[in-house]
Amino acid sequence: MAQYLLGIYQPDGEPPSPEFLEPIMREVEAFGAELRESGAWVFSGGLHPPSTATVVTARNDDILVTDGPYLEGKEHLGGFNVIEVPDLDAALAWGRKLAKATTLPIEVRPLQWGSCS
């Protein structure tokens, strides 16, 4: 079994109104329930807005710490799911379901585990 990240990309700017988000969140909750019931769910998380990010960069012997996202963009990673499935085809099937539920772009990427030592 392989693990994949399903990254949810959200547009920058103010969040949509509750009336707009309510039906989407129902679909996302149904997706999450199906994912858990299938046994493919490993863990999920949502992220605070990019304005809460801090970037730590090593430059030679110096460490630079800056507020906010490192790159300027029109969208940002807003949340993610880590799943465990047999192969990329299965991961893409879950990615399609999540894209349909969220109406947002979903990046499907295999995880590569290693050590920090």
Side-chain angles (χ1 to χ4, degrees):
M1 296 287 263
Q3 291 185 339
Y4 291 83
L5 175 83
L6 304 180
I8 304 165
Y9 284 90
Q10 296 179 240
D12 287 340
E14 292 297 316
S17 69
E19 297 79 25
F20 180 84
L21 282 178
E22 191 173 295
I24 292 171
M25 293 312 296
R26 279 195 302 270
E27 292 292 323
V28 170
E29 288 171 13
F31 167 84
E34 182 183 355
L35 187 61
R36 283 178 174 80
E37 288 169 11
S38 77
W41 181 81
V42 176
F43 67 94
S44 302
L47 300 172
H48 287 277
S51 61
T52 64
T54 303
V55 178
V56 180
T57 307
R59 296 253 166 85
N60 299 321
D61 291 332
D62 294 328
I63 301 295
L64 178 64
V65 178
T66 55
D67 292 334
Y70 179 67
L71 297 173
E72 293 297 320
K74 295 186 176 167
E75 58 188 21
H76 60 274
L77 183 64
F80 61 90
N81 290 274
V82 175
I83 61 173
E84 190 167 65
V85 293
D87 53 34
L88 178 59
D89 289 336
L92 290 172
W94 284 110
R96 286 184 194 95
K97 289 181 181 188
L98 186 55
K100 186 174 180 182
T102 63
T103 70
L104 295 169
I106 305 300
E107 178 182 356
V108 178
R109 188 185 297 191
L111 289 174
Q112 178 178 326
W113 294 102
S115 69
C116 293
S117 56

